C-alpha cells in the first residue's frame, strides 16, 4: 500500500510539474512584449513605423526595427531567430525560401503592397516597342516571373507552360509579337537605369519611394494573390498573443486611415480585410 501511495504521489507531482511548465510556456508566449521586425529598404518599413508601430506601442510592445540592405538577408535572419516578423515578401517567395532554408514561415496578414509596372523614360507609348527593344527585369526569380507575365499579357512574349515561380528563368520565355532583349538587374536598380533601356519593369515600392505615381506607368500589373506583400512569421508563433495583435493592427481602421491619407500609396493593393472596417 505504501509503495502504491508513493507511486501515486510521484505521478501527481509529475503531472503538476508538466502542467506548470506548459502554463509557464504559454504565459511566456502570450506576454512577450519585445519584438523585432525585419524589412528590406523601402516603403514597407515606413508604413510600419508610421502606421503600425504606434498601435503596438499603445498595447505595451517594445519594437526594434531592423532594415536590411538586401532582401535576401531578411529570411535567414528569421531562421536564426534574429527577427520575429518581416514585411517585404510575397507568399510565393516565402514558400520558395521555406523549401530552400528548411524553415516554416507562414503568412500572418497582408500589407498594402504596390504592383509592378512597365515604365520608360525614352518612350511615351507601348507602341514604340520593336524587335531588339531592351527591357529591364528583376534578377530574382519571383519578381522576374511577375515582370515577364506583364509582357506576356501585352503579347510581346510567350511563357512556357510549367515555367514555375520560385525557380523561374528566362529560358522559359520566347518571342511572340516582338523579339525583345532582356537586361537583368537588381530590382532596386531598374528605376534609375531606365535611361539605359527602352522599357523596365519596376517594383511598385520603389516608385512610391521616389515620389512617383504608379498610375503614370505604361502598364500596371494585375497582381495575383500569391505575389501580394505579406507579414511573415514562423509557424510556431502563429497562435501567440503578439502575433494576434500584429495581425489586428494590420487589419485595423487606424492603419487603413493612415494609408489612405498618404498620396504616395495611391495605386497600392489594399488588404481585403479592410472591407470589414
Amino acid at each position: 500500500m505504501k509503495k502504491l501511495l508513493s507511486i501515486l504521489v510521484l505521478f501527481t507531482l509529475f503531472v503538476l510539474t508538466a502542467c506548470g511548465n506548459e502554463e509557464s510556456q504559454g504565459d511566456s508566449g502570450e506576454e512577450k512584449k519585445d519584438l523585432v521586425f525585419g524589412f528590406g529598404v523601402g516603403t514597407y518599413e515606413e508604413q510600419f513605423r508610421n502606421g503600425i508601430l504606434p498601435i503596438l506601442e499603445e498595447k505595451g510592445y517594445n519594437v526594434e526595427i531592423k532594415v536590411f540592405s538586401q532582401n535576401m538577408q531578411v529570411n535567414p535572419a528569421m531562421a536564426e531567430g534574429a527577427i520575429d516578423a518581416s514585411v517585404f515578401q510575397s507568399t510565393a517567395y516565402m514558400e520558395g525560401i521555406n523549401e530552400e532554408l528548411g524553415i516554416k514561415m507562414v503568412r500572418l496578414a497582408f500589407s498594402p503592397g504596390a504592383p509592378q509596372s512597365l515604365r520608360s523614360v525614352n518612350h511615351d507609348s507601348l507602341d514604340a516597342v520593336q524587335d531588339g527593344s531592351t527591357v529591364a527585369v528583376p534578377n530574382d526569380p519571383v519578381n522576374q516571373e511577375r515582370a515577364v507575365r506583364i509582357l506576356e499579357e501585352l503579347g510581346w512574349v510567350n511563357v512556357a507552360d510549367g515555367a514555375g515561380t520560385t525557380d523561374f528563368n528566362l529560358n522559359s520565355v520566347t518571342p511572340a509579337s516582338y523579339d525583345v532583349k532582356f537586361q537583368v538587374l537588381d530590382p532596386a536598380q531598374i528605376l534609375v537605369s531606365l535611361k539605359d533601356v527602352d522599357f523596365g519593369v519596376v517594383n511598385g515600392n520603389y516608385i512610391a519611394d521616389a515620389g512617383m505615381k504608379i498610375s503614370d506607368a505604361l502598364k500596371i500589373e494585375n497582381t495575383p494573390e500569391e505575389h501580394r506583400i505579406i507579414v511573415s512569421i514562423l509557424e510556431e508563433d502563429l497562435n501567440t498573443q503578439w502575433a494576434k495583435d500584429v495581425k489586428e493592427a494590420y487589419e485595423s481602421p487606424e492603419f487603413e486611415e493612415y494609408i489612405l491619407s498618404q498620396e504616395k500609396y495611391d495605386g497600392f493593393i489594399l488588404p481585403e480585410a479592410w472591407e470589414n472596417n
Side-chain angles (χ1 to χ4, degrees):
M1 179 65 71
K2 289 182 179 180
K3 184 176 181 181
L4 178 59
L5 181 61
S6 298
I7 292 173
L8 289 173
V9 169
L10 288 172
F11 178 78
T12 302
L13 288 173
F14 174 80
V15 171
L16 289 174
T17 300
C19 290
N21 287 339
E22 289 176 1
E23 290 173 2
S24 175
Q25 291 171 0
D27 291 344
S28 174
E30 291 177 0
E31 294 176 357
K32 178 175 173 131
K33 291 295 184 180
D34 296 323
L35 302 175
V36 184
F37 274 72
F39 300 87
V41 176
T43 304
Y44 305 114
E45 182 272 333
E46 181 181 346
Q47 287 182 7
F48 181 87
R49 186 181 298 276
N50 295 328
I52 298 297
L53 184 58
I55 298 174
L56 295 180
E57 288 181 335
E58 188 173 341
K59 290 180 177 289
Y61 288 98
N62 303 306
V63 182
E64 178 183 353
I65 295 174
K66 286 189 175 181
V67 179
F68 295 82
S69 60
Q70 297 181 358
N71 285 348
M72 67 180 62
Q73 299 171 322
V74 184
N75 285 324
M78 183 174 290
E80 296 167 2
I83 61 175
D84 297 298
S86 70
V87 189
F88 81 101
Q89 66 186 339
S90 67
T91 302
Y93 185 82
M94 178 189 72
E95 290 176 347
I97 295 297
N98 276 345
E99 184 174 345
E100 180 181 325
L101 298 182
I103 59 178
K104 291 184 178 180
M105 294 181 290
V106 294
R107 180 183 74 212
L108 179 64
F110 285 105
S111 175
Q116 285 187 340
S117 58
L118 182 66
R119 314 180 79 87
S120 177
V121 298
N122 293 313
H123 306 293
D124 296 327
S125 169
L126 295 172
D127 294 337
V129 66
Q130 58 185 341
D131 289 342
S133 289
T134 51
V135 183
V137 295
N139 61 359
D140 66 280
V142 172
N143 280 312
Q144 190 175 99
E145 188 262 349
R146 292 173 61 188
V148 170
R149 293 297 179 184
I150 296 176
L151 307 184
E152 181 184 43
E153 185 177 345
L154 290 171
W156 294 7
V157 302
N158 292 318
V159 180
D161 293 339
T165 301
T166 58
D167 57 348
F168 181 85
N169 66 72
L170 292 175
N171 291 330
S172 300
V173 183
T174 55
S177 299
Y178 303 99
D179 185 10
V180 299
K181 307 302 180 185
F182 292 106
Q183 294 288 328
V184 180
L185 301 173
D186 183 276
Q189 297 302 312
I190 295 178
L191 182 60
V192 297
S193 301
L194 285 178
K195 63 183 183 298
D196 301 319
V197 294
D198 291 296
F199 304 93
V201 181
V202 186
N203 288 2
N205 56 313
Y206 300 121
I207 300 298
D209 284 340
M212 303 167 67
K213 292 183 178 180
I214 291 173
S215 59
D216 289 339
L218 296 175
K219 175 68 176 177
I220 299 173
E221 173 192 40
N222 182 19
T223 311
E225 183 175 292
E226 66 176 354
H227 289 315
R228 290 165 55 190
I229 299 300
I230 60 172
V231 182
S232 305
I233 64 171
L234 292 177
E235 184 178 54
E236 65 193 50
D237 293 325
L238 190 57
N239 293 317
T240 60
Q241 186 58 48
W242 68 261
K244 294 175 183 177
D245 288 338
V246 170
K247 177 178 174 65
E248 183 179 294
Y250 268 91
E251 297 179 352
S252 68
E254 293 83 1
F255 185 47
E256 177 184 9
E257 182 179 352
Y258 163 71
I259 292 295
L260 296 181
S261 71
Q262 304 298 307
E263 185 177 355
K264 71 182 297 181
Y265 300 129
D266 287 351
F268 272 49
I269 305 162
L270 306 180
E272 292 178 359
W274 289 1
E275 295 175 3
N276 299 321
N277 290 342

